[in-house]
Amino acid sequence: MKAHDGLYIDGAWRPAGSRDVIEVVNPVDEQVIGHVPAGGALDVDAAVRAARAALPAWAATPAAERAARLTALRDALVARKDEIAETVTAELGAPPEFAQAVHVGLPIAVAGSYAELAAAHSFEEKVGNSTVLHEPVGVVGAITPWNYPLHQIVAKVAPALAAGCTVVLKPAEDTPLTAQLFAEAVHEAGVPAGVFNLVTGLGPVAGQALAEHPGVDLVSFTGSTAVGRQIGAAAGAAVKQVALELGGKSANVILPSADLAKAVNVGVANVMANSGQTCSAWTRMLVHRDRYEEAVELARTAAAKYGDRIGPLVSARQQARVRGYIEKGVAEGARIVAGGPQSPNERGYFVSPTVFADVTPQMTIAQEEIFGPVLAILPYDDEEDALRIANGTVYGLAGAVWAGDASEAAAFARRMDTGQVDINGGRFNPLAPFGGYKQSGVGRELGAHGLAEYLQTKSLQF
Ligand code: NAP
Ligand code: MG
């Protein structure tokens, strides 16, 4: 992998203030594949200054021209799609087919959607005797995780640029090479200098400096609840806007009238995809007591298929964390029907696809986000019980409901405290608002709702 030894600030790759570097490791074989600079507070400051200086001109650029740059960005990502997929495979461990289809395919679709939205959006509206202007919020500090390295970046940067904001990005330390490729694509797309800036670095150093910088108007963060809480508190104290996309513990509710085999198979696939490193994964499967054992058997068979088809976890730290949760599940009395805490390979950060039965709603594995290929199957007595269990965590990011007909499933979904629900396997929609109820976050990403996050209103009265 070719890595830049600089930071992309004000339209060029520049040396970082310190010589500190981050080692990038391939989680399949644990080999170091590259180094990137670990930026510090001075680098963040330089990047924020560049973004601030570029803001007036970019905010005043006609939306059609911003849309043209986003179209060019989408095209630059398309032109590099093999290189990006190989890089995501190398630094995240994603299997090549999944890397192409999802890690590259999804952000290309999202970049394209914001090219269209920027062109079509009406940045002015009439309300009685007022003209309401939708103006960019300003300089955005974007902090992203490693689980979908390019998607998480595009889901923030594309709407920010569409809105007329400028951006400083601090990507996850585990996946900085994909972020560097993104910066190259932005450059090729002819986005003016300073509009987008990249500072690779460590969370508690570069990330914290960005979140606390007084020159940042909006902090958009995706990652753990623990860090999100800190960033939210700091933003509140500084009275600046904040968007938080945090964890989940989403419920896959299989009602008695559902096609059980289909619901279980799609449910297991949903959890195992990306080795379980998906914030919206349906990690709790809720099945009526009468069909519980049948569902457990179906899940056991389904999980066995994933044995050698999923990649490793991103890091030794995540592997240890996930194995710790599996041990905790056993200790708290849940029954392992597939997988387990032992490592399936000698080398690499792999965890076996794991299915737990006899899980009760109070268990740690039914409450906390594990972020690995681990499914908990819980029995319920009736619909009210299912609803109580589904809504019984601090999270509310996504979910699924399966029933004999869509209207029955939708009626249940309306009562769920969560931001997205897939009805009978409804497919992912990159234009639908994505974000959390309760402690899953603040704000929405994607589509027109995601664009609105980067706009503020000014009313002129006539
Ligand atoms: P994390 O620490 O919250 O990482 C997310 C981003 O925040 C990274 O860029 C990280 O930098 C940065 N960061 C860390 N500490 C910071 C601070 N004090 N101030 C500002 N930025 C900071 O998450 P993680 O440690 O990678 O993963 C831990 C758990 O978080 C996972 O097991 C999972 O449960 C959850 N998670 C959720 C999502 C999601 O999509 N909602 C994504 C990833 C993880 P570094 O990369 O240098 O740490
Ligand atoms: Mg971290």
Side-chain angles (χ1 to χ4, degrees), residues 77-114:
L77 294 173
V78 170
R80 286 165 169 271
K81 66 184 178 28
D82 293 340
E83 193 185 356
I84 296 169
E86 283 159 21
T87 303
V88 173
T89 294
E91 63 183 358
L92 180 67
E97 264 180 42
F98 189 76
Q100 276 284 358
V102 178
H103 287 292
V104 181
L106 176 58
I108 286 173
V110 172
S113 77
Y114 280 111

PDB file of all heavy atoms in Angstrom, residues 77-114:
ATOM      1  N   LEU A  77     -13.945   8.486  -7.266  1.00  0.00           N
ATOM      2  CA  LEU A  77     -14.049   7.274  -6.444  1.00  0.00           C
ATOM      3  C   LEU A  77     -14.305   6.052  -7.336  1.00  0.00           C
ATOM      4  O   LEU A  77     -13.729   4.982  -7.126  1.00  0.00           O
ATOM      5  CB  LEU A  77     -15.178   7.415  -5.402  1.00  0.00           C
ATOM      6  CG  LEU A  77     -14.964   8.484  -4.319  1.00  0.00           C
ATOM      7  CD1 LEU A  77     -16.227   8.635  -3.455  1.00  0.00           C
ATOM      8  CD2 LEU A  77     -13.759   8.157  -3.430  1.00  0.00           C
ATOM      9  N   VAL A  78     -15.159   6.242  -8.353  1.00  0.00           N
ATOM     10  CA  VAL A  78     -15.441   5.140  -9.283  1.00  0.00           C
ATOM     11  C   VAL A  78     -14.148   4.724  -9.991  1.00  0.00           C
ATOM     12  O   VAL A  78     -13.831   3.537 -10.103  1.00  0.00           O
ATOM     13  CB  VAL A  78     -16.535   5.539 -10.310  1.00  0.00           C
ATOM     14  CG1 VAL A  78     -16.646   4.505 -11.423  1.00  0.00           C
ATOM     15  CG2 VAL A  78     -17.885   5.729  -9.611  1.00  0.00           C
ATOM     16  N   ALA A  79     -13.379   5.712 -10.428  1.00  0.00           N
ATOM     17  CA  ALA A  79     -12.143   5.418 -11.164  1.00  0.00           C
ATOM     18  C   ALA A  79     -11.145   4.651 -10.302  1.00  0.00           C
ATOM     19  O   ALA A  79     -10.321   3.898 -10.804  1.00  0.00           O
ATOM     20  CB  ALA A  79     -11.521   6.723 -11.662  1.00  0.00           C
ATOM     21  N   ARG A  80     -11.225   4.836  -9.007  1.00  0.00           N
ATOM     22  CA  ARG A  80     -10.280   4.185  -8.090  1.00  0.00           C
ATOM     23  C   ARG A  80     -10.917   3.041  -7.327  1.00  0.00           C
ATOM     24  O   ARG A  80     -10.403   2.634  -6.285  1.00  0.00           O
ATOM     25  CB  ARG A  80      -9.797   5.212  -7.062  1.00  0.00           C
ATOM     26  CG  ARG A  80      -8.820   6.203  -7.606  1.00  0.00           C
ATOM     27  CD  ARG A  80      -8.700   7.354  -6.636  1.00  0.00           C
ATOM     28  NE  ARG A  80      -7.593   8.217  -6.991  1.00  0.00           N
ATOM     29  CZ  ARG A  80      -6.350   8.041  -6.550  1.00  0.00           C
ATOM     30  NH1 ARG A  80      -6.047   7.046  -5.751  1.00  0.00           N
ATOM     31  NH2 ARG A  80      -5.393   8.859  -6.927  1.00  0.00           N
ATOM     32  N   LYS A  81     -12.025   2.485  -7.832  1.00  0.00           N
ATOM     33  CA  LYS A  81     -12.745   1.566  -6.956  1.00  0.00           C
ATOM     34  C   LYS A  81     -11.969   0.292  -6.609  1.00  0.00           C
ATOM     35  O   LYS A  81     -12.075  -0.184  -5.480  1.00  0.00           O
ATOM     36  CB  LYS A  81     -14.149   1.264  -7.469  1.00  0.00           C
ATOM     37  CG  LYS A  81     -14.285   0.511  -8.756  1.00  0.00           C
ATOM     38  CD  LYS A  81     -15.791   0.448  -9.059  1.00  0.00           C
ATOM     39  CE  LYS A  81     -16.183  -0.222 -10.340  1.00  0.00           C
ATOM     40  NZ  LYS A  81     -15.332  -1.240 -10.892  1.00  0.00           N
ATOM     41  N   ASP A  82     -11.146  -0.193  -7.526  1.00  0.00           N
ATOM     42  CA  ASP A  82     -10.380  -1.399  -7.199  1.00  0.00           C
ATOM     43  C   ASP A  82      -9.324  -1.107  -6.132  1.00  0.00           C
ATOM     44  O   ASP A  82      -9.133  -1.882  -5.197  1.00  0.00           O
ATOM     45  CB  ASP A  82      -9.717  -1.969  -8.452  1.00  0.00           C
ATOM     46  CG  ASP A  82     -10.757  -2.509  -9.435  1.00  0.00           C
ATOM     47  OD1 ASP A  82     -11.894  -2.785  -8.983  1.00  0.00           O
ATOM     48  OD2 ASP A  82     -10.447  -2.615 -10.639  1.00  0.00           O
ATOM     49  N   GLU A  83      -8.662   0.036  -6.296  1.00  0.00           N
ATOM     50  CA  GLU A  83      -7.632   0.429  -5.326  1.00  0.00           C
ATOM     51  C   GLU A  83      -8.243   0.634  -3.938  1.00  0.00           C
ATOM     52  O   GLU A  83      -7.668   0.227  -2.914  1.00  0.00           O
ATOM     53  CB  GLU A  83      -6.983   1.723  -5.824  1.00  0.00           C
ATOM     54  CG  GLU A  83      -5.713   2.103  -5.112  1.00  0.00           C
ATOM     55  CD  GLU A  83      -5.190   3.472  -5.581  1.00  0.00           C
ATOM     56  OE1 GLU A  83      -5.776   4.087  -6.508  1.00  0.00           O
ATOM     57  OE2 GLU A  83      -4.203   3.923  -4.992  1.00  0.00           O
ATOM     58  N   ILE A  84      -9.411   1.260  -3.904  1.00  0.00           N
ATOM     59  CA  ILE A  84     -10.070   1.484  -2.609  1.00  0.00           C
ATOM     60  C   ILE A  84     -10.465   0.145  -1.982  1.00  0.00           C
ATOM     61  O   ILE A  84     -10.213  -0.093  -0.794  1.00  0.00           O
ATOM     62  CB  ILE A  84     -11.307   2.397  -2.765  1.00  0.00           C
ATOM     63  CG1 ILE A  84     -10.887   3.796  -3.247  1.00  0.00           C
ATOM     64  CG2 ILE A  84     -12.058   2.509  -1.438  1.00  0.00           C
ATOM     65  CD1 ILE A  84     -12.049   4.682  -3.670  1.00  0.00           C
ATOM     66  N   ALA A  85     -11.053  -0.734  -2.788  1.00  0.00           N
ATOM     67  CA  ALA A  85     -11.478  -2.040  -2.244  1.00  0.00           C
ATOM     68  C   ALA A  85     -10.276  -2.803  -1.705  1.00  0.00           C
ATOM     69  O   ALA A  85     -10.334  -3.385  -0.616  1.00  0.00           O
ATOM     70  CB  ALA A  85     -12.191  -2.851  -3.323  1.00  0.00           C
ATOM     71  N   GLU A  86      -9.163  -2.784  -2.435  1.00  0.00           N
ATOM     72  CA  GLU A  86      -7.960  -3.491  -1.968  1.00  0.00           C
ATOM     73  C   GLU A  86      -7.439  -2.881  -0.666  1.00  0.00           C
ATOM     74  O   GLU A  86      -6.955  -3.600   0.215  1.00  0.00           O
ATOM     75  CB  GLU A  86      -6.855  -3.431  -3.039  1.00  0.00           C
ATOM     76  CG  GLU A  86      -7.096  -4.403  -4.190  1.00  0.00           C
ATOM     77  CD  GLU A  86      -6.329  -4.024  -5.455  1.00  0.00           C
ATOM     78  OE1 GLU A  86      -5.325  -3.272  -5.357  1.00  0.00           O
ATOM     79  OE2 GLU A  86      -6.756  -4.469  -6.544  1.00  0.00           O
ATOM     80  N   THR A  87      -7.547  -1.573  -0.568  1.00  0.00           N
ATOM     81  CA  THR A  87      -7.070  -0.901   0.649  1.00  0.00           C
ATOM     82  C   THR A  87      -7.961  -1.227   1.847  1.00  0.00           C
ATOM     83  O   THR A  87      -7.458  -1.484   2.948  1.00  0.00           O
ATOM     84  CB  THR A  87      -6.998   0.619   0.404  1.00  0.00           C
ATOM     85  OG1 THR A  87      -6.137   0.843  -0.722  1.00  0.00           O
ATOM     86  CG2 THR A  87      -6.439   1.359   1.600  1.00  0.00           C
ATOM     87  N   VAL A  88      -9.272  -1.242   1.631  1.00  0.00           N
ATOM     88  CA  VAL A  88     -10.184  -1.607   2.728  1.00  0.00           C
ATOM     89  C   VAL A  88      -9.931  -3.062   3.140  1.00  0.00           C
ATOM     90  O   VAL A  88      -9.929  -3.392   4.330  1.00  0.00           O
ATOM     91  CB  VAL A  88     -11.662  -1.388   2.323  1.00  0.00           C
ATOM     92  CG1 VAL A  88     -12.597  -1.919   3.401  1.00  0.00           C
ATOM     93  CG2 VAL A  88     -11.938   0.097   2.078  1.00  0.00           C
ATOM     94  N   THR A  89      -9.697  -3.915   2.172  1.00  0.00           N
ATOM     95  CA  THR A  89      -9.385  -5.312   2.491  1.00  0.00           C
ATOM     96  C   THR A  89      -8.092  -5.386   3.302  1.00  0.00           C
ATOM     97  O   THR A  89      -8.008  -6.111   4.291  1.00  0.00           O
ATOM     98  CB  THR A  89      -9.262  -6.139   1.196  1.00  0.00           C
ATOM     99  OG1 THR A  89     -10.554  -6.185   0.580  1.00  0.00           O
ATOM    100  CG2 THR A  89      -8.794  -7.567   1.468  1.00  0.00           C
ATOM    101  N   ALA A  90      -7.100  -4.593   2.925  1.00  0.00           N
ATOM    102  CA  ALA A  90      -5.800  -4.666   3.597  1.00  0.00           C
ATOM    103  C   ALA A  90      -5.840  -4.114   5.017  1.00  0.00           C
ATOM    104  O   ALA A  90      -5.234  -4.684   5.920  1.00  0.00           O
ATOM    105  CB  ALA A  90      -4.752  -3.913   2.770  1.00  0.00           C
ATOM    106  N   GLU A  91      -6.552  -3.026   5.239  1.00  0.00           N
ATOM    107  CA  GLU A  91      -6.479  -2.430   6.584  1.00  0.00           C
ATOM    108  C   GLU A  91      -7.637  -2.791   7.505  1.00  0.00           C
ATOM    109  O   GLU A  91      -7.514  -2.688   8.724  1.00  0.00           O
ATOM    110  CB  GLU A  91      -6.267  -0.907   6.535  1.00  0.00           C
ATOM    111  CG  GLU A  91      -7.361  -0.101   5.908  1.00  0.00           C
ATOM    112  CD  GLU A  91      -7.037   1.402   5.837  1.00  0.00           C
ATOM    113  OE1 GLU A  91      -5.979   1.841   6.302  1.00  0.00           O
ATOM    114  OE2 GLU A  91      -7.889   2.141   5.296  1.00  0.00           O
ATOM    115  N   LEU A  92      -8.758  -3.250   6.925  1.00  0.00           N
ATOM    116  CA  LEU A  92      -9.904  -3.665   7.755  1.00  0.00           C
ATOM    117  C   LEU A  92     -10.039  -5.190   7.772  1.00  0.00           C
ATOM    118  O   LEU A  92     -10.582  -5.758   8.719  1.00  0.00           O
ATOM    119  CB  LEU A  92     -11.202  -3.033   7.225  1.00  0.00           C
ATOM    120  CG  LEU A  92     -12.496  -3.362   7.966  1.00  0.00           C
ATOM    121  CD1 LEU A  92     -12.485  -2.761   9.371  1.00  0.00           C
ATOM    122  CD2 LEU A  92     -13.716  -2.881   7.195  1.00  0.00           C
ATOM    123  N   GLY A  93      -9.575  -5.846   6.698  1.00  0.00           N
ATOM    124  CA  GLY A  93      -9.712  -7.300   6.604  1.00  0.00           C
ATOM    125  C   GLY A  93     -10.991  -7.739   5.916  1.00  0.00           C
ATOM    126  O   GLY A  93     -11.332  -8.922   5.943  1.00  0.00           O
ATOM    127  N   ALA A  94     -11.707  -6.813   5.293  1.00  0.00           N
ATOM    128  CA  ALA A  94     -12.968  -7.160   4.632  1.00  0.00           C
ATOM    129  C   ALA A  94     -12.717  -8.086   3.447  1.00  0.00           C
ATOM    130  O   ALA A  94     -11.816  -7.836   2.650  1.00  0.00           O
ATOM    131  CB  ALA A  94     -13.675  -5.899   4.158  1.00  0.00           C
ATOM    132  N   PRO A  95     -13.507  -9.165   3.303  1.00  0.00           N
ATOM    133  CA  PRO A  95     -13.368 -10.026   2.128  1.00  0.00           C
ATOM    134  C   PRO A  95     -13.548  -9.205   0.847  1.00  0.00           C
ATOM    135  O   PRO A  95     -14.381  -8.296   0.811  1.00  0.00           O
ATOM    136  CB  PRO A  95     -14.511 -11.041   2.295  1.00  0.00           C
ATOM    137  CG  PRO A  95     -14.827 -11.033   3.764  1.00  0.00           C
ATOM    138  CD  PRO A  95     -14.547  -9.632   4.230  1.00  0.00           C
ATOM    139  N   PRO A  96     -12.757  -9.498  -0.215  1.00  0.00           N
ATOM    140  CA  PRO A  96     -12.758  -8.662  -1.425  1.00  0.00           C
ATOM    141  C   PRO A  96     -14.130  -8.387  -2.030  1.00  0.00           C
ATOM    142  O   PRO A  96     -14.410  -7.248  -2.397  1.00  0.00           O
ATOM    143  CB  PRO A  96     -11.877  -9.462  -2.396  1.00  0.00           C
ATOM    144  CG  PRO A  96     -10.946 -10.223  -1.500  1.00  0.00           C
ATOM    145  CD  PRO A  96     -11.731 -10.549  -0.265  1.00  0.00           C
ATOM    146  N   GLU A  97     -14.983  -9.413  -2.098  1.00  0.00           N
ATOM    147  CA  GLU A  97     -16.302  -9.186  -2.720  1.00  0.00           C
ATOM    148  C   GLU A  97     -17.132  -8.197  -1.915  1.00  0.00           C
ATOM    149  O   GLU A  97     -17.816  -7.335  -2.472  1.00  0.00           O
ATOM    150  CB  GLU A  97     -17.091 -10.506  -2.787  1.00  0.00           C
ATOM    151  CG  GLU A  97     -16.982 -11.202  -4.102  1.00  0.00           C
ATOM    152  CD  GLU A  97     -17.781 -12.492  -4.108  1.00  0.00           C
ATOM    153  OE1 GLU A  97     -18.921 -12.515  -3.582  1.00  0.00           O
ATOM    154  OE2 GLU A  97     -17.249 -13.499  -4.612  1.00  0.00           O
ATOM    155  N   PHE A  98     -17.080  -8.343  -0.596  1.00  0.00           N
ATOM    156  CA  PHE A  98     -17.836  -7.448   0.280  1.00  0.00           C
ATOM    157  C   PHE A  98     -17.251  -6.035   0.213  1.00  0.00           C
ATOM    158  O   PHE A  98     -17.986  -5.041   0.236  1.00  0.00           O
ATOM    159  CB  PHE A  98     -17.820  -7.984   1.721  1.00  0.00           C
ATOM    160  CG  PHE A  98     -18.754  -7.257   2.654  1.00  0.00           C
ATOM    161  CD1 PHE A  98     -20.122  -7.497   2.610  1.00  0.00           C
ATOM    162  CD2 PHE A  98     -18.273  -6.335   3.573  1.00  0.00           C
ATOM    163  CE1 PHE A  98     -20.996  -6.828   3.467  1.00  0.00           C
ATOM    164  CE2 PHE A  98     -19.131  -5.661   4.433  1.00  0.00           C
ATOM    165  CZ  PHE A  98     -20.500  -5.902   4.387  1.00  0.00           C
ATOM    166  N   ALA A  99     -15.923  -5.967   0.103  1.00  0.00           N
ATOM    167  CA  ALA A  99     -15.272  -4.657  -0.003  1.00  0.00           C
ATOM    168  C   ALA A  99     -15.767  -3.925  -1.251  1.00  0.00           C
ATOM    169  O   ALA A  99     -16.119  -2.742  -1.194  1.00  0.00           O
ATOM    170  CB  ALA A  99     -13.750  -4.821  -0.026  1.00  0.00           C
ATOM    171  N   GLN A 100     -15.813  -4.636  -2.380  1.00  0.00           N
ATOM    172  CA  GLN A 100     -16.271  -4.025  -3.639  1.00  0.00           C
ATOM    173  C   GLN A 100     -17.725  -3.602  -3.539  1.00  0.00           C
ATOM    174  O   GLN A 100     -18.093  -2.473  -3.853  1.00  0.00           O
ATOM    175  CB  GLN A 100     -16.129  -5.028  -4.806  1.00  0.00           C
ATOM    176  CG  GLN A 100     -14.762  -5.073  -5.434  1.00  0.00           C
ATOM    177  CD  GLN A 100     -14.476  -3.879  -6.353  1.00  0.00           C
ATOM    178  OE1 GLN A 100     -15.326  -3.005  -6.565  1.00  0.00           O
ATOM    179  NE2 GLN A 100     -13.260  -3.826  -6.885  1.00  0.00           N
ATOM    180  N   ALA A 101     -18.575  -4.541  -3.103  1.00  0.00           N
ATOM    181  CA  ALA A 101     -20.018  -4.309  -3.163  1.00  0.00           C
ATOM    182  C   ALA A 101     -20.456  -3.252  -2.147  1.00  0.00           C
ATOM    183  O   ALA A 101     -21.253  -2.376  -2.470  1.00  0.00           O
ATOM    184  CB  ALA A 101     -20.777  -5.615  -2.917  1.00  0.00           C
ATOM    185  N   VAL A 102     -19.950  -3.348  -0.933  1.00  0.00           N
ATOM    186  CA  VAL A 102     -20.468  -2.495   0.137  1.00  0.00           C
ATOM    187  C   VAL A 102     -19.499  -1.359   0.487  1.00  0.00           C
ATOM    188  O   VAL A 102     -19.875  -0.193   0.450  1.00  0.00           O
ATOM    189  CB  VAL A 102     -20.800  -3.329   1.392  1.00  0.00           C
ATOM    190  CG1 VAL A 102     -21.284  -2.426   2.523  1.00  0.00           C
ATOM    191  CG2 VAL A 102     -21.864  -4.381   1.049  1.00  0.00           C
ATOM    192  N   HIS A 103     -18.251  -1.696   0.797  1.00  0.00           N
ATOM    193  CA  HIS A 103     -17.331  -0.651   1.256  1.00  0.00           C
ATOM    194  C   HIS A 103     -17.033   0.382   0.181  1.00  0.00           C
ATOM    195  O   HIS A 103     -16.696   1.520   0.492  1.00  0.00           O
ATOM    196  CB  HIS A 103     -16.032  -1.269   1.771  1.00  0.00           C
ATOM    197  CG  HIS A 103     -16.197  -1.952   3.089  1.00  0.00           C
ATOM    198  ND1 HIS A 103     -16.458  -1.271   4.250  1.00  0.00           N
ATOM    199  CD2 HIS A 103     -16.177  -3.267   3.442  1.00  0.00           C
ATOM    200  CE1 HIS A 103     -16.564  -2.125   5.266  1.00  0.00           C
ATOM    201  NE2 HIS A 103     -16.406  -3.342   4.799  1.00  0.00           N
ATOM    202  N   VAL A 104     -17.113  -0.028  -1.097  1.00  0.00           N
ATOM    203  CA  VAL A 104     -16.909   0.926  -2.181  1.00  0.00           C
ATOM    204  C   VAL A 104     -18.239   1.311  -2.822  1.00  0.00           C
ATOM    205  O   VAL A 104     -18.492   2.491  -3.072  1.00  0.00           O
ATOM    206  CB  VAL A 104     -15.951   0.349  -3.245  1.00  0.00           C
ATOM    207  CG1 VAL A 104     -15.718   1.370  -4.351  1.00  0.00           C
ATOM    208  CG2 VAL A 104     -14.627  -0.040  -2.595  1.00  0.00           C
ATOM    209  N   GLY A 105     -19.099   0.327  -3.038  1.00  0.00           N
ATOM    210  CA  GLY A 105     -20.379   0.587  -3.720  1.00  0.00           C
ATOM    211  C   GLY A 105     -21.248   1.585  -2.978  1.00  0.00           C
ATOM    212  O   GLY A 105     -21.815   2.513  -3.587  1.00  0.00           O
ATOM    213  N   LEU A 106     -21.365   1.410  -1.668  1.00  0.00           N
ATOM    214  CA  LEU A 106     -22.248   2.288  -0.890  1.00  0.00           C
ATOM    215  C   LEU A 106     -21.782   3.750  -0.894  1.00  0.00           C
ATOM    216  O   LEU A 106     -22.570   4.660  -1.195  1.00  0.00           O
ATOM    217  CB  LEU A 106     -22.404   1.735   0.533  1.00  0.00           C
ATOM    218  CG  LEU A 106     -23.220   2.566   1.520  1.00  0.00           C
ATOM    219  CD1 LEU A 106     -24.634   2.808   1.010  1.00  0.00           C
ATOM    220  CD2 LEU A 106     -23.267   1.858   2.883  1.00  0.00           C
ATOM    221  N   PRO A 107     -20.512   4.027  -0.580  1.00  0.00           N
ATOM    222  CA  PRO A 107     -20.106   5.444  -0.602  1.00  0.00           C
ATOM    223  C   PRO A 107     -20.177   6.085  -1.983  1.00  0.00           C
ATOM    224  O   PRO A 107     -20.438   7.297  -2.081  1.00  0.00           O
ATOM    225  CB  PRO A 107     -18.665   5.430  -0.071  1.00  0.00           C
ATOM    226  CG  PRO A 107     -18.264   4.011   0.051  1.00  0.00           C
ATOM    227  CD  PRO A 107     -19.487   3.167   0.032  1.00  0.00           C
ATOM    228  N   ILE A 108     -19.994   5.302  -3.039  1.00  0.00           N
ATOM    229  CA  ILE A 108     -20.163   5.867  -4.385  1.00  0.00           C
ATOM    230  C   ILE A 108     -21.620   6.291  -4.565  1.00  0.00           C
ATOM    231  O   ILE A 108     -21.913   7.392  -5.064  1.00  0.00           O
ATOM    232  CB  ILE A 108     -19.703   4.859  -5.466  1.00  0.00           C
ATOM    233  CG1 ILE A 108     -18.172   4.795  -5.486  1.00  0.00           C
ATOM    234  CG2 ILE A 108     -20.265   5.232  -6.840  1.00  0.00           C
ATOM    235  CD1 ILE A 108     -17.581   3.717  -6.378  1.00  0.00           C
ATOM    236  N   ALA A 109     -22.543   5.435  -4.118  1.00  0.00           N
ATOM    237  CA  ALA A 109     -23.969   5.781  -4.222  1.00  0.00           C
ATOM    238  C   ALA A 109     -24.283   7.027  -3.393  1.00  0.00           C
ATOM    239  O   ALA A 109     -25.028   7.913  -3.830  1.00  0.00           O
ATOM    240  CB  ALA A 109     -24.836   4.602  -3.755  1.00  0.00           C
ATOM    241  N   VAL A 110     -23.702   7.111  -2.200  1.00  0.00           N
ATOM    242  CA  VAL A 110     -24.000   8.253  -1.322  1.00  0.00           C
ATOM    243  C   VAL A 110     -23.398   9.545  -1.900  1.00  0.00           C
ATOM    244  O   VAL A 110     -24.046  10.600  -1.912  1.00  0.00           O
ATOM    245  CB  VAL A 110     -23.493   7.984   0.117  1.00  0.00           C
ATOM    246  CG1 VAL A 110     -23.618   9.237   0.979  1.00  0.00           C
ATOM    247  CG2 VAL A 110     -24.281   6.827   0.740  1.00  0.00           C
ATOM    248  N   ALA A 111     -22.171   9.456  -2.412  1.00  0.00           N
ATOM    249  CA  ALA A 111     -21.566  10.648  -3.039  1.00  0.00           C
ATOM    250  C   ALA A 111     -22.435  11.116  -4.203  1.00  0.00           C
ATOM    251  O   ALA A 111     -22.713  12.316  -4.356  1.00  0.00           O
ATOM    252  CB  ALA A 111     -20.146  10.332  -3.508  1.00  0.00           C
ATOM    253  N   GLY A 112     -22.917  10.157  -5.013  1.00  0.00           N
ATOM    254  CA  GLY A 112     -23.797  10.493  -6.144  1.00  0.00           C
ATOM    255  C   GLY A 112     -25.096  11.129  -5.668  1.00  0.00           C
ATOM    256  O   GLY A 112     -25.593  12.098  -6.258  1.00  0.00           O
ATOM    257  N   SER A 113     -25.634  10.605  -4.569  1.00  0.00           N
ATOM    258  CA  SER A 113     -26.908  11.135  -4.072  1.00  0.00           C
ATOM    259  C   SER A 113     -26.744  12.591  -3.643  1.00  0.00           C
ATOM    260  O   SER A 113     -27.649  13.412  -3.843  1.00  0.00           O
ATOM    261  CB  SER A 113     -27.452  10.274  -2.918  1.00  0.00           C
ATOM    262  OG  SER A 113     -26.769  10.523  -1.697  1.00  0.00           O
ATOM    263  N   TYR A 114     -25.577  12.944  -3.072  1.00  0.00           N
ATOM    264  CA  TYR A 114     -25.383  14.344  -2.644  1.00  0.00           C
ATOM    265  C   TYR A 114     -25.052  15.266  -3.805  1.00  0.00           C
ATOM    266  O   TYR A 114     -25.327  16.478  -3.734  1.00  0.00           O
ATOM    267  CB  TYR A 114     -24.366  14.436  -1.495  1.00  0.00           C
ATOM    268  CG  TYR A 114     -25.050  14.086  -0.193  1.00  0.00           C
ATOM    269  CD1 TYR A 114     -24.751  12.924   0.496  1.00  0.00           C
ATOM    270  CD2 TYR A 114     -26.054  14.911   0.301  1.00  0.00           C
ATOM    271  CE1 TYR A 114     -25.422  12.595   1.668  1.00  0.00           C
ATOM    272  CE2 TYR A 114     -26.736  14.593   1.472  1.00  0.00           C
ATOM    273  CZ  TYR A 114     -26.418  13.442   2.149  1.00  0.00           C
ATOM    274  OH  TYR A 114     -27.095  13.125   3.291  1.00  0.00           O
TER     275      TYR A 114
END
